Each structure stands twice: as C-alpha cells, then as structure tokens.
C-alpha cells in the first residue's frame, strides 16, 4: 500500500471521523468530503486505500450479505471520464452495481435505480473520482450541485469527491448572487 505519511494518516483519521459521524445522522443530509489538488499527488491512491479499509471493516462487522440477502457493498467508487454528463454519472453508478436496466433510460430513472442499488447493497461511502470531468459549464454548475444535494438528501451515503480545481469549477463556491447561494449549500456540506 502507500507510505503512511503524516498527511495520509491525517486524511484517513478525518475520513473515519466524518463517516462514523454520518452514520449517526440517520436520514438527514450528511456531510460530504472534497479532496482537491494538483494531478499526480496521490489523492485517488490515498482514498482507495481508505476505501479498502472501510470496506473490510464493514464486511467484518456485518457480513458479506444484507438481511435481505443482497451482496453488501459498503463502498461505491465511480471514476469519471472527459466531459461526463449527469446521465453518464448516474449510468456509472448503475454500472458499478451491474444493474441490468442501465441503458436507454432517462437520467431520473437512472438516479432512482442508483438509489435502489445503494439501499439494497447498504452502501455508505460514494466516491466520485475525477469529478472535474463533469459538465460544470452547463447552467453554471447548478444542475450538478443540485444532483449532489439530491444524493446528500436521499442516499444514505457520505459523498467523497476527488478532483482538480474544484473550487474554480464551482463545487466549493460561495457568493452573493442567487446562483452562488444555490452552489453554496454544497460548500456548507463539504
């Protein structure tokens, strides 16, 4: 695995605290985490190491299967590619779970199926890697911010975003105009 540097240890400790706190929040909107930095610094590597430990802890605690008999997947990791749309994002979540009906449907239907998979597999951590590839320019990022708000409100997961230049793209934006205020809600949770 990666070297246990003081920075890596600090990031992992903070993630454990956030995830354990979010488990106590029940159905309320949960805090999110954003890891922002230059490419090649090891952001994804650090998070993948943490996700592996979290996955192993949850399986050891609760077993390989849920009470309903579904496979338990405590962590869902979605890696994005260039110019990803919201439909592509929801498809990627459904692809992770190998959902059979993930083609030729609406973004809304894909979101409902993604939620069903998260609930069925008792996923608690949703990692979105390379989030800077989402279509930030469309509608000033409000569509994406609203989608992350939907995930925070309806999905029982901690959302962990990894990317480059997230502040400049609007995910960590705060400001005086209405559009900025909408985006600022994501900032307060992250």
């Amino acid at each position: 695995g990666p070297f246990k540097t003081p920075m890596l240890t600090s990031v992992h400790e903070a993630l454990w605290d956030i995830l354990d706190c979010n488990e106590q929040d029940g159905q309320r909107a949960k805090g999110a985490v954003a890891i922002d930095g230059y490419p090649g610094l090891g952001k994804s590597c650090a998070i993948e190491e943490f996700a592996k430990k979290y996955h192993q802890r949850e399986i050891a605690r609760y077993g390989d299967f849920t009470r309903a008999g579904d496979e338990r997947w405590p962590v869902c990791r979605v890696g994005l590619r260039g110019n990803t749309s919201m439909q592509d994002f929801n498809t990627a979540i459904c692809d992770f779970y190998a959902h059979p009906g993930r083609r030729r449907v609406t973004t809304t239907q894909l979101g409902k199926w993604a939620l069903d998979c998260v609930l069925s597999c008792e996923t608690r951590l949703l990692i979105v890697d390379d989030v800077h590839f989402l279509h930030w320019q469309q509608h000033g990022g409000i569509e994406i911010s609203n989608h992350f708000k939907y995930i925070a409100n309806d999905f029982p997961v901690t959302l962990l975003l990894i990317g480059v230049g997230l502040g400049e793209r609007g995910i960590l934006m705060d400001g005086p105009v209405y559009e900025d205020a909408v985006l600022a809600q994501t900032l307060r949770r992250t």
Side-chain angles (χ1 to χ4, degrees), residues 55-184:
H55 177 89
Q56 290 170 340
R57 182 187 88 169
E58 296 299 292
I59 295 298
R61 277 186 179 175
Y62 303 112
D64 291 327
F65 296 93
T66 67
R67 283 188 177 177
D70 296 309
E71 283 186 72
R72 183 180 314 281
W73 284 95
V75 179
C76 173
R77 184 202 167 275
V78 177
L80 304 182
R81 291 175 277 151
N83 244 1
T84 304
S85 68
M86 292 314 301
Q87 184 159 2
D88 296 334
F89 174 68
N90 287 339
T91 299
I93 294 174
C94 290
D95 283 345
F96 176 85
Y97 295 101
H99 192 281
R102 59 193 183 274
R103 302 284 181 238
R104 297 187 187 107
V105 295
T106 66
T107 303
T108 303
Q109 184 60 52
L110 284 166
K112 289 177 184 177
W113 287 341
L115 175 58
D116 181 55
C117 290
V118 164
L119 293 173
S120 297
C121 296
E122 297 183 2
T123 301
R124 297 293 173 255
L125 176 61
L126 174 59
I127 300 170
V128 184
D129 201 354
D130 292 326
V131 73
H132 52 276
F133 285 137
L134 285 170
H135 283 228
W136 290 100
Q137 51 292 45
Q138 291 181 350
H139 312 294
I142 292 175
E143 178 187 13
I144 293 166
S145 183
N146 285 340
H147 193 67
F148 288 147
K149 179 184 173 196
Y150 161 69
I151 290 171
N153 287 338
D154 292 352
F155 286 47
V157 297
T158 298
L159 185 60
L160 198 158
L161 308 173
I162 305 169
V164 176
L166 300 182
E168 293 80 24
R169 285 181 169 78
I171 185 106
L172 304 176
M173 193 175 195
D174 199 1
V177 295
Y178 174 75
E179 288 80 11
D180 292 346
V182 171
L183 293 169

